[in-house]
Amino acid sequence: MPMLKRDYKQEYKTQVARGEHEDRMERQRARRKLDKQGVSRKGKDVAHVVALSKGGSNKDGTRLQSPSKNRSFKRNPDGSMK
């Protein structure tokens, strides 16, 4: 498998166009805050209390969650998200 270089400038433009940039920055701020407090994030994700995809906002706060819990949602029988 060849080593591929990521086009960070293009990723940034895409995030801004989708309106994701501010959300990503808020997660990064939350990570830095936890690091300053000495909280171990090893093996954990910084997650929003109410997922952004579920209408949450950065004002709802963040918490540490396991990656499998943070990256999955309950699904309907047809596979769509609840």
Side-chain angles (χ1 to χ4, degrees):
M1 182 176 196
M3 291 295 292
L4 300 175
K5 288 200 152 226
R6 289 174 65 176
D7 187 352
Y8 290 103
K9 288 183 181 182
Q10 182 58 45
E11 287 183 25
Y12 175 81
K13 287 178 187 176
T14 302
Q15 290 170 6
V16 171
R18 290 180 181 168
E20 298 173 350
H21 179 67
E22 284 302 315
D23 298 330
R24 293 179 62 84
M25 294 300 294
E26 186 63 30
R27 279 192 293 270
Q28 186 60 29
R29 283 186 205 105
R31 289 183 194 112
R32 286 190 199 119
K33 182 179 176 183
L34 290 171
D35 290 343
K36 278 186 178 180
Q37 293 172 350
V39 176
S40 174
R41 296 186 293 117
K42 188 173 184 174
K44 300 282 185 181
D45 282 352
V46 175
H48 288 88
V49 173
V50 178
L52 297 174
S53 62
K54 298 290 188 179
S57 72
N58 292 321
K59 294 174 184 68
D60 295 331
T62 57
R63 62 181 171 195
L64 287 177
Q65 269 188 326
S66 68
S68 61
K69 181 105 173 145
N70 183 37
R71 299 174 192 177
S72 64
F73 294 102
K74 292 181 181 178
R75 303 239 173 218
N76 294 315
D78 66 355
S80 62
M81 287 193 306
K82 288 186 177 182

